[in-house]
Amino acid sequence: MEDIISLCKRRGFIFQGSAVYDGLAGTWDWGPLGVELKRRVMDLWWNFWVDKRPEVYGVDAAIIMNPKVWQASGHVATFADPLVEDTVNHRRYRADHLLKDKGIEAEGLTNEEITKLIREHDIKSPDGNPLSDVRSFNMMFKTTVGPVDTAEAVAYLRPETAQGIFTNYRNVVDTLYPNLPFGLAQQGKAFRNEISPRDFIFRSREFEQMEIEYFVRPEEWDKEFTMLLGLIHEFLEQVIGLPADKIHEYEVPENDRAHYSKRTIDIEFDYPIGREELMGLAYRTDFDLQNIQRVAKKSMEYRPKDGSAPFVPHVIEPSFGVERLIMAILSAFYQTDEVGGSKRNVLRLPHQLAPVMATVSPLLKNKPELVKKAQEVYAMLNDAMPGRVNWDDSGNIGKRYRKADEIGVPHCVVIDFDSLENDDVTVRDRDTTEQQRVKISELAEKLK
Ligand code: ATP
């Protein structure tokens, strides 16, 4: 974990948010390489779940919504984590995390039950002080809308993207009238005032979700649940390329499930911090649409085209977190191996994820004829693969290779004296470190 955090900072993937002002806990900024990696992951997701599926459509809803959304959804009442306070210095902690750190599971227990466990096991705060009783802490960020700071003006930053989809269900049915089953997909920021953000980007206060609400006939939920579970594995293992043996299904027992779910399978991943939730697949029944129907007093019924009786569809939700997916990618592919007797760090990113496909450099940067030729090759490749090629003439060639390996560049293109004679270049492969001569005229096609 330390290695990954250090890589991200050193090479410009991910920085602590507001770092110049000593940071803001639970927030992270994406640097030049990180932003490219994140875009690729999000684009691959959109391509797989939306572009390639005729029955799935995209939406992009506002982050700040009418607060009635969160009253109807149950978030105002129940979207809370168990909080305890150090009775001496008043630092606050997530009670279940303190217990988990001591090997005691507290998921799904009431506040009273967790308090009892804390007393029984004599759990103290990390500073060694006694802890308060457990109480619930609502995780939604509050803000006010408009110029008057009154209770009526209170609104929330969305804690999940899902509600922005449910509130658009009626709009989409009225405008597109899709057949069932159909899906609505959304990518975007979500905000949770986590009591103790930790484990790098794994638990942040601002993060990005990619969610699909899949609307089905109530009697078909089981079949569609299984279908979506299969697609999740295909996406994670074939499209992203994560190792299947690090991916596990966890059938969430009833008392641990979110308030709206009748069945949930968490997809867990073997992270450096242990086996933890990467994403979830939840059967949300008609909970959300019924709530909207009740509170907004508008029909959420779907009228089948065959004239049969209208009904409120049920919903199955694959919910991905971008940060947790990227943490899985970094931890699966960042490795240390040995080349020619010396240790190297290498990020073996599958090519579809690599922020940079190739670097181009002159073997020696003080030879104008090499630099000129290399610049021609760079311009040509940049035309063929805009944004996927980097120029690098820093340090010596060994250093350039080490840097390219560490940021996951699959190919290094080097222009040397033979290139001037033969119009070819050396292409070094990141994974095997083997070098190949390739004709400049064939280079773009080969790299693509
Ligand atoms: P956890 O139990 O780990 O807090 P959760 O079960 O509350 O997560 P969901 O509400 O199911 O999470 O959210 C869906 C997905 O959003 C999660 O699987 C995860 O990928 C992502 N996610 C949730 N909370 C965070 C967070 N604080 N930081 C980063 N990603 C998150």
Side-chain angles (χ1 to χ4, degrees), residues 359-367 370-372 374-375 378 390-397 399-400 403 413:
T359 58
V360 179
S361 52
L363 180 64
L364 302 167
K365 66 177 168 191
N366 55 1
K367 297 283 174 206
L370 291 187
V371 173
K372 181 164 172 285
Q375 275 170 344
Y378 171 68
N390 269 12
W391 172 262
D392 189 6
D393 61 3
S394 63
N396 61 34
I397 195 72
K399 279 209 178 110
R400 286 180 223 157
K403 176 169 152 200
V413 175

Side-chain angles (χ1 to χ4, degrees), residues 79 81 94 97 107 139 159-160 192 194 197 201-211 258 260 264 266-267 271 276-280 317 319-325:
F79 193 63
D81 273 342
R94 229 177 105 167
H97 283 173
E107 261 196 70
M139 288 195 285
E160 58 171 32
R192 296 184 186 179
E194 297 277 354
I201 55 173
F202 184 87
R203 189 172 301 287
S204 328
R205 289 186 169 136
E206 173 179 338
F207 55 98
E208 201 121 21
Q209 288 188 318
M210 308 185 284
E211 297 194 299
Y260 48 72
T264 298
D266 280 349
I267 299 294
Y271 289 102
E276 296 285 352
E277 174 179 335
L278 164 60
M279 56 86 54
E317 174 195 74
S319 173
F320 292 81
V322 175
E323 282 74 4
R324 291 194 188 178
L325 188 48

Side-chain angles (χ1 to χ4, degrees), residues 83-214:
L83 173 90
V84 278
E85 200 170 306
D86 179 315
T87 53
V88 178
N89 60 26
H90 304 289
R91 292 209 175 111
R92 293 169 164 196
Y93 303 94
R94 229 177 105 167
D96 55 332
H97 283 173
L98 290 186
L99 285 164
K100 198 174 174 193
D101 291 345
K102 303 268 185 234
I104 307 160
E105 251 332 309
E107 261 196 70
L109 301 184
T110 63
N111 289 346
E112 291 68 34
E113 288 165 338
I114 302 174
T115 304
K116 210 166 143 225
L117 275 181
I118 287 176
R119 305 287 172 244
E120 273 169 21
H121 294 272
D122 198 22
I123 307 288
K124 296 276 191 288
S125 80
D127 296 316
N129 300 321
L131 291 165
S132 69
D133 283 357
V134 176
R135 63 185 172 86
S136 292
F137 173 76
N138 193 293
M139 288 195 285
M140 283 197 293
F141 279 101
K142 271 189 198 156
T143 185
T144 49
V145 174
V148 197
D149 193 355
T150 60
E152 291 74 55
V154 166
Y156 304 95
L157 301 190
R158 66 181 179 204
E160 58 171 32
T161 57
Q163 295 303 324
I165 297 181
F166 291 124
T167 47
N168 277 292
Y169 154 85
R170 188 76 264 165
N171 292 336
V172 174
V173 171
D174 288 348
T175 50
L176 298 186
Y177 201 4
N179 290 318
L180 285 178
F182 72 90
L184 293 181
Q186 177 168 225
Q187 298 183 331
K189 293 271 187 174
F191 304 82
R192 296 184 186 179
N193 198 2
E194 297 277 354
I195 294 167
S196 37
R198 58 183 195 174
D199 301 322
F200 192 34
I201 55 173
F202 184 87
R203 189 172 301 287
S204 328
R205 289 186 169 136
E206 173 179 338
F207 55 98
E208 201 121 21
Q209 288 188 318
M210 308 185 284
E211 297 194 299
I212 298 148
E213 306 306 324
Y214 205 73

